[in-house]
Amino acid sequence: MGRTLTFKLVFIIILALLILCAALVYDWAQKRMYPLKYEALILEYADEYRLDPYLVCAVIWVESKFNESATSRKGARGLMQVIPSTGQWAAEKLGIEGYSDDSLYDPAVNIRIGCWYLDRLRNHFKGNLDLALAAYNGGSSNVEKWLQDPRYSKDGKGLDNIPFKETRDFVVRVWSAYEKYKQLYSIHDVYR
């Protein structure tokens, strides 16, 4: 009976260690899949534009997987995949001196402009983040058209269906990544 008790105790200890190791490996693997870089810049501009920093992380992850050199086939650049025409407009509004399209590869410029633009879209769509995200990906003029079309919006205030698959997938992926970032990281909460 003494040996059986010892065996059970050793088995329980080994099992507990295996579970702990599996949890650590899982957490490590998840953080490799959902990295967090440029936290100070994300916090700075999320705070400035009253955005949830987890949402900013999610947009960056979906847009570029935190690759500051990313360029889309449509010419969008950097972490938040800002289109050069949007970048030029934002740089003018924000008074960014010495701006060029290549400035969008600079994480500080890109995150600042991306957050500014996301804030403008959120304000334009009266705080509706689903609409702001759809506009971030598919264009605000398209979202405006969809809101007026009963095939896509029953009430003209929200979208029941997004006709562009890329935009529909973008919104779903951002909210999924948002939940992952909230689960994995304790970003200093500056969101108000």
Side-chain angles (χ1 to χ4, degrees):
M1 202 155 128
R3 282 188 164 166
T4 304
L5 187 58
T6 302
F7 175 76
K8 285 181 181 179
L9 186 58
V10 168
F11 177 77
I12 290 170
I13 291 171
I14 290 172
L15 184 61
L17 288 172
L18 287 173
I19 291 170
L20 177 63
C21 287
L24 292 173
V25 167
Y26 178 79
D27 188 56
W28 174 84
Q30 289 290 295
K31 285 184 176 180
R32 298 272 303 176
M33 286 179 59
Y34 294 89
L36 176 57
K37 301 178 188 176
Y38 311 110
E39 184 176 358
L41 291 171
I42 291 167
L43 289 171
E44 177 181 350
Y45 294 116
D47 183 46
E48 183 173 338
Y49 295 105
R50 301 166 323 281
L51 295 168
D52 184 332
Y54 292 108
L55 181 63
V56 176
C57 289
V59 169
I60 292 172
W61 185 84
V62 170
E63 289 286 18
S64 70
K65 303 284 192 289
F66 279 86
N67 176 3
E68 65 274 358
S69 302
T71 304
S72 76
R73 54 183 159 65
K74 294 180 182 176
R77 298 176 179 201
L79 293 165
M80 295 185 78
Q81 290 291 278
V82 177
I83 294 173
S85 59
T86 301
Q88 291 166 4
W89 171 53
E92 184 179 304
K93 293 287 188 188
L94 294 169
I96 299 174
E97 293 185 25
Y99 174 86
S100 73
D101 291 344
D102 285 342
S103 299
L104 294 173
Y105 295 117
D106 177 343
V109 172
N110 191 281
I111 294 171
R112 180 180 182 193
I113 289 174
C115 287
W116 174 84
Y117 186 52
L118 191 55
D119 178 49
R120 285 186 65 94
L121 292 170
R122 178 186 57 191
N123 290 335
H124 178 76
F125 291 105
K126 298 175 178 53
N128 186 319
L129 286 172
D130 287 329
L131 296 178
L133 290 171
Y136 191 93
N137 179 267
S140 59
S141 61
N142 285 322
V143 172
E144 292 287 351
K145 287 181 211 168
W146 300 335
L147 287 170
Q148 302 308 313
D149 190 328
R151 293 176 297 172
Y152 310 121
S153 176
K154 291 180 182 122
D155 61 6
K157 296 177 184 171
L159 293 174
D160 303 304
N161 181 27
I162 298 173
F164 291 176
K165 181 182 179 345
E166 178 186 332
T167 301
R168 185 172 55 246
D169 291 348
F170 174 81
V171 174
V172 169
R173 291 177 67 218
V174 166
W175 288 122
S176 176
Y178 173 80
E179 291 302 324
K180 274 291 186 192
Y181 275 94
K182 280 178 53 177
Q183 173 190 10
L184 291 171
Y185 296 99
S186 294
I187 300 173
H188 177 68
D189 189 13
V190 295
Y191 180 56
R192 296 181 210 343

